[in-house]
Amino acid sequence: MTIALSRGIVDLYEQLIPTKVYIAYKTGTTDKNDVKCRICGEGSESMAHVLAGCPSLAKSKYLEKHNFVLKVFFFEMLNDLELADSTPPWFSDVKPKPLYKSPDAEAYWDVPVYADHTYVRSNRVDARFIDHKNKKVLMVEMSCPWINNRDKKDKENTKRYGALRLERTKQHPGYKISQVNVIIDVLGRWSKAMETETKASLVQDTKKYC
């Protein structure tokens, strides 16, 4: 790792990146009334806004980051369910297919669930895994929020897909239905509780992940 890269990472963690808000309020060298984001022109250009709240980046850079992180978990699960012969390295450009299927398991990447009941309003979790051998369904929702919003996003995702979990119990009677919220903040950190919950909810034996 170069000195410049190390310094950049430290600046991110210390929130020393020269955004408009930082320059105006920390250094006092610019007008405090001129802090609008230079990308979207809406919110105040702070670290939180640029990394997690800019609408102009939501469907591009944020989505790219989201998918890049989630696919590491997804490919590991494919391998664990014997739906893939190997796991590509984390830096690979390989993109998941929407569906992987065998007689014993199924995996879905960003595919909506077609519900039979109108009370299901949110039906598109990021990934789903169905283990027919062990009669388990795992729903995975990935989020990369601002560093102070991890717990909030976890609760939001759990509530958002409550009706869908109920629907899955009706579509797969006798199966255990689980949801894991993979919450990794914009600086790459996660909670110990999330790590423990994720390991406990994996479709297959979790010993290999401990």
Side-chain angles (χ1 to χ4, degrees):
M1 183 181 294
T2 65
I3 295 177
L5 179 57
S6 299
R7 184 175 299 166
I9 293 174
V10 171
D11 286 348
L12 279 172
Y13 275 91
E14 296 294 331
Q15 299 186 42
L16 300 177
I17 302 300
T19 62
K20 278 191 171 184
V21 169
Y22 177 84
I23 295 173
Y25 286 87
K26 294 295 184 180
T27 68
T29 56
T30 59
D31 186 358
K32 292 182 179 180
N33 295 316
D34 181 23
V35 293
K36 290 293 184 181
C37 176
R38 285 167 284 187
I39 301 174
C40 67
E42 297 179 14
S44 298
E45 189 185 290
S46 62
M47 277 278 292
H49 176 81
V50 173
L51 293 180
C54 180
S56 294
L57 298 176
K59 296 298 182 181
S60 55
K61 294 300 182 181
Y62 296 165
L63 181 60
E64 180 181 341
K65 174 180 62 180
H66 167 280
N67 290 345
F68 200 86
V69 175
L70 179 61
K71 76 174 186 177
V72 176
F73 178 90
F74 188 81
F75 281 126
E76 287 288 351
M77 288 297 297
L78 290 182
N79 192 51
D80 199 40
L81 288 168
E82 299 181 350
L83 291 170
D85 297 327
S86 61
T87 302
W90 65 268
F91 52 83
S92 169
D93 290 330
V94 176
K95 296 181 180 180
K97 296 184 295 185
L99 171 63
Y100 297 80
K101 192 172 184 178
S102 75
D104 296 324
E106 301 171 40
Y108 299 84
W109 172 273
D110 193 29
V111 175
V113 177
Y114 293 98
D116 296 324
H117 300 86
T118 57
Y119 59 72
V120 180
R121 301 295 179 86
S122 299
N123 67 335
R124 194 168 195 149
V125 289
D126 290 324
R128 289 180 284 128
F129 304 93
I130 304 175
D131 180 359
H132 295 299
K133 275 187 176 180
N134 297 298
K135 292 190 174 182
K136 294 182 179 181
V137 175
L138 178 64
M139 298 166 29
V140 180
E141 182 68 7
M142 171 83 196
S143 298
C144 300
W146 179 240
I147 55 179
N148 296 330
N149 293 336
R150 290 201 307 249
D151 290 341
K152 178 183 177 182
K153 181 57 68 173
D154 182 38
K155 292 176 182 177
E156 286 178 354
N157 288 347
T158 299
K159 181 178 180 180
R160 180 182 180 186
Y161 293 107
L164 182 59
R165 292 193 300 274
L166 176 61
E167 183 76 4
R168 301 304 278 167
T169 63
K170 297 177 180 180
Q171 293 179 348
H172 297 280
Y175 282 56
K176 178 183 178 181
I177 312 298
S178 301
Q179 178 179 337
V180 168
N181 299 321
V182 180
I183 312 294
I184 300 179
D185 69 37
V186 293
L187 298 184
R189 297 179 295 185
W190 61 88
S191 69
K192 191 67 177 178
M194 186 213 75
E195 184 176 349
T196 301
E197 179 185 357
T198 301
K199 290 177 180 179
S201 299
L202 290 176
V203 179
Q204 296 283 17
D205 187 358
T206 61
K207 292 181 180 178
K208 63 178 284 190
Y209 296 93
C210 298

